[in-house]
Amino acid sequence: MNISPHAAIAGHTRIGRKSFIGIGASIIDGIVIGKGVIIGAGAAVIHDIPSYTVVAGVPARSIK
């Protein structure tokens, strides 16, 4: 797992192995991030993200 600078991860968030969280991304409390996920810089994650998904935007949506 790689968490970039200024990423905000709240409370009871679970992050899977080999996931990447971009600079300035925000993740709300209670979210489950699958393994191999890529979260783009500045993304706002408000829903669980399944494994091997690329998300970006506000709110974060799958782009690949």
Side-chain angles (χ1 to χ4, degrees):
M1 162 177 42
N2 185 349
I3 301 174
S4 296
H6 301 287
I9 302 170
H12 296 89
T13 300
R14 293 189 326 199
I15 302 171
R17 295 163 98 42
K18 298 185 180 181
S19 292
F20 173 82
I21 301 173
I23 295 170
S26 299
I27 304 171
I28 65 170
D29 187 35
I31 297 295
V32 176
I33 307 293
K35 54 185 170 177
V37 169
I38 298 174
I39 299 173
V45 180
I46 60 171
H47 298 290
D48 292 349
I49 301 176
S51 296
Y52 306 107
T53 303
V54 178
V55 299
V58 178
R61 295 178 190 221
S62 177
I63 60 172
K64 186 173 179 182

